[in-house]
């Protein structure tokens, strides 16, 4: 399938006149249509809620759009909790699925009424010490170990992942939590990342549904919510078939009717914590070609770098690139598309066939709406760029300004160095 940007060249040229590249651009229309589809796909389950994984796109404007569709927030750190709280998400709309958690983060999560999803057996005691009690509503994260297989083969290796309780631990854990006064129990598992198959959630649902039936028998704890977490992926590559959330929702419903309803558990709520599926396709990184370098390979240097989008640099992830205005030209040039970091992995694409790129061409790097801006860092003292929302009516709104050198140096503000510093961008 041909991957097309959600914005036309004409529109993008207009936007660039107002906001110089590079920037992240988000598509409000796409975000809304997808959030609505998710809501409908699980509407068969009255308790359903998607807790958007804040780490994917921690922007208040984006979170507020998702809130209109009933989404809550899945947080894993103090600042993510602070953001959700500041946007007036209610306690029951905040899931705290953290790991290696500092005590003070449990304290804050408890204070704002978030649902705490424990990552480890030892955290039962740790949490009780930290907050002085065990909350009435509590969730535990399960890790089945081994390799996780579904009909189309091995998907991932949970046995190697740092997350979650073993089966024996989780059964023992619920018994202890119950003794300590917990009344409402949840279970969570995140076994495979970026799955591009409609079968992952239904398979995970089966694993968890069978387990909760066993937990009820062995511990007397009735699980009241089952959190399928994240892992529903997107088609980064043009030859992949995107997931169909309606098919996924229907697949989960079938397993629910097959296992939970006969076990007398037909009132269990299904939760999800998708990040990538909610946002990745509806954001892109817009950048301009500023150099061409021909040595042993042909390099196009752009004005964005791995600081804006790290996935290619850290995982060799594929992100599709469209050279705006050249969509119909033959892809007969082979390039590495690079950023300016002093790191050879700072490449958005390696040996990518593209139309001939000229200096000044605008490149759209697709599917950067999740785990894009948020994963960025400040290596080489590179500053983070702005985030722009393309609204439904075609207008734009800056939803985060670009960092300035003052932002970058502000943690030295208790020293003298700032008074001797020149700020060339402030003249
Ligand atoms: C990262 C994460 C998610 C979201 O994952 P996606 O693959 O973006 O859907 C959900 N839950 C937890 C606990 C996570 O760490």
């Amino acid at each position: 399938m041909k991957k097309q940007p959600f914005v036309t060249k004409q529109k993008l040229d207009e936007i660039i006149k107002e906001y110089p590249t590079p920037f992240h651009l988000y598509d409000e229309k796409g975000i809304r249509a997808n959030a609505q589809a998710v809501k409908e796909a699980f509407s068969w389950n009255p308790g359903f809620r998607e807790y958007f994984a804040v780490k994917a796109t921690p922007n208040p404007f984006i979170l507020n759009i998702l809130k209109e569709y009933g989404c809550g927030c899945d947080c894993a750190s103090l600042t993510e909790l602070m953001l959700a709280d500041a946007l007036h998400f209610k306690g029951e709309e905040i899931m705290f699925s953290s790991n290696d958690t500092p005590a003070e983060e449990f304290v804050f999560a408890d204070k704002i009424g978030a649902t705490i999803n424990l990552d480890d057996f030892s955290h039962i005691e740790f949490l009780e010490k930290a907050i002085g009690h065990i909350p009435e509503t509590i969730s535990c994260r399960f890790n089945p170990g081994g390799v996780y297989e579904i009909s189309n083969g091995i998907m991932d290796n949970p046995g190697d992942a740092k997350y979650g309780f073993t089966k024996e631990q989780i059964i023992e854990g619920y018994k202890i939590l119950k003794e300590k006064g917990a009344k409402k129990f949840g279970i969570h598992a995140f076994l495979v990342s970026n799955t591009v198959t409609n079968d992952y959630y239904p398979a995970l649902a089966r694993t968890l549904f069978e387990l909760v039936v066993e937990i009820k028998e062995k511990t007397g704890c009735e699980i009241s919510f089952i959190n399928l977490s994240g892992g529903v992926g997107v088609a980064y590559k043009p030859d992949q078939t995107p997931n169909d959330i309606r098919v996924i929702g229907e697949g989960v419903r079938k397993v629910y009717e097959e296992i939970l309803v006969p076990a007398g558990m037909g009132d269990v709520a299904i939760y999800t914590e998708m990040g990538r599926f909610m946002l990745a396709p509806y954001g892109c990184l817009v950048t301009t070609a500023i150099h061409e370098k021909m040595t042993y390979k042909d390099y196009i240097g752009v004005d964005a770098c791995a600081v804006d989008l790290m996935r290619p640099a850290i995982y060799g992830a594929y992100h599709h690139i469209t050279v705006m205005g050249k969509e119909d030209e033959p892809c007969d040039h082979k390039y590495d598309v690079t950023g300016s970091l002093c790191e050879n992995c700072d490449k958005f694409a390696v040996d990518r066939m593209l139309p001939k790129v000229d200096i000044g061409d605008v490149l759209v790097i697709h599917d950067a709406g999740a785990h894009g801006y948020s994963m960025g860092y400040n290596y080489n003292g590179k500053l983070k760029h702005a985030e722009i929302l393309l609204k439904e009516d075609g207008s734009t709104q800056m939803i985060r300004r670009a960092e300035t050198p003052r932002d970058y140096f502000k943690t030295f503000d208790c020293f003298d160095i700032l008074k001797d510093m020149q700020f060339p961008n402030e003249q």
Side-chain angles (χ1 to χ4, degrees), residues 53 55 74 97 141 188 190 193 229-231 273-276 371:
K55 71 167 191 261
D74 166 44
S97 295
R141 181 169 184 164
H188 168 280
F190 188 166
S193 199
S229 188
E273 285 177 345
M274 295 181 282
R276 194 185 312 273
H371 312 298

Side-chain angles (χ1 to χ4, degrees), residues 58-240:
N59 186 299
F61 294 86
I62 302 282
L63 297 182
N64 275 336
I65 293 173
L66 295 174
K67 198 180 194 194
E68 288 181 40
Y69 299 84
C71 295
C73 291
D74 166 44
C75 303
S77 68
L78 178 68
T79 49
E80 290 176 0
L81 288 168
M82 288 166 61
L83 181 57
D85 180 53
L87 296 175
H88 308 296
F89 283 90
K90 297 193 206 83
E92 71 263 24
E93 295 169 334
I94 305 173
M95 186 65 62
F96 187 46
S97 295
S98 61
N99 68 93
D100 190 21
T101 315
E104 59 273 21
E105 301 196 2
F106 277 137
V107 171
F108 190 68
D110 181 57
K111 184 175 167 202
I112 65 174
T115 299
I116 292 175
N117 181 29
L118 296 172
D119 180 64
D120 186 47
F121 185 76
S122 68
H123 290 191
I124 298 172
E125 203 185 320
F126 186 90
L127 174 69
E128 194 178 24
K129 268 211 187 104
I131 68 172
H133 64 278
I134 289 294
E136 272 194 16
T137 300
I138 191 89
S139 174
C140 298
R141 181 169 184 164
F142 173 57
N143 181 335
V147 293
Y148 198 68
E149 256 180 286
I150 63 174
S151 55
N152 32 5
I154 291 178
M155 301 205 71
D156 212 335
N157 198 347
D160 254 359
K162 67 173 177 171
Y163 309 106
F165 294 54
T166 67
K167 187 170 167 184
E168 294 69 32
Q169 289 172 340
I170 212 166
I171 289 174
E172 190 57 26
Y174 287 117
K175 284 185 196 159
I176 295 171
L177 289 165
K178 193 178 175 196
E179 280 163 20
K180 291 182 182 289
K183 296 206 164 59
K184 192 174 163 194
F185 303 91
I187 192 164
H188 168 280
F190 188 166
L191 306 185
V192 192
S193 199
N194 192 31
T195 57
V196 192
T197 161
N198 293 327
D199 298 335
Y200 168 64
Y201 258 6
L204 172 64
R206 180 176 295 278
T207 302
L208 290 178
F209 294 174
E210 285 170 352
L211 181 59
V212 301
V213 173
E214 191 179 335
I215 288 169
K216 185 178 164 183
E217 283 164 11
K218 294 196 171 149
T219 69
C221 294
E222 286 228 29
I223 300 289
S224 57
F225 57 90
I226 297 175
N227 185 342
L228 302 175
S229 188
V232 178
V234 300
Y236 286 103
K237 295 182 180 163
D239 61 358
Q240 289 176 309

Side-chain angles (χ1 to χ4, degrees), residues 220-347:
C221 294
E222 286 228 29
I223 300 289
S224 57
F225 57 90
I226 297 175
N227 185 342
L228 302 175
S229 188
V232 178
V234 300
Y236 286 103
K237 295 182 180 163
D239 61 358
Q240 289 176 309
T241 308
N243 285 325
D244 183 337
I245 197 66
R246 278 159 283 256
V247 174
I248 293 174
E250 184 54 21
V252 174
R253 188 187 66 79
K254 282 208 186 97
V255 189
Y256 190 98
E257 308 254 303
E258 183 192 322
I259 301 171
L260 290 185
V261 174
M265 300 177 79
D267 54 354
V268 172
I270 299 298
Y271 294 165
T272 57
E273 285 177 345
M274 295 181 282
R276 194 185 312 273
F277 186 79
M278 301 306 287
L279 249 300
Y282 315 108
C284 60
L285 175 60
V286 181
T287 184
T288 303
I290 57 171
H291 292 287
E292 177 171 17
K293 168 168 177 160
M294 290 186 224
T295 52
Y296 306 104
K297 292 181 101 172
D298 198 347
Y299 297 97
I300 295 296
V302 295
D303 58 2
C305 63
V307 163
D308 300 294
L309 177 65
M310 277 182 85
R311 300 185 67 257
I314 55 175
Y315 324 118
Y318 181 96
H319 278 263
H320 197 65
I321 296 178
T322 298
V323 183
M324 294 306 280
K326 297 186 173 174
E327 291 84 345
D328 298 322
E329 290 181 19
C331 292
D332 53 3
H333 283 63
K334 191 194 267 188
Y335 296 112
D336 281 12
V337 178
T338 78
S340 54
L341 295 189
C342 304
E343 274 275 23
N344 196 42
C345 64
D346 184 15
K347 295 178 176 177

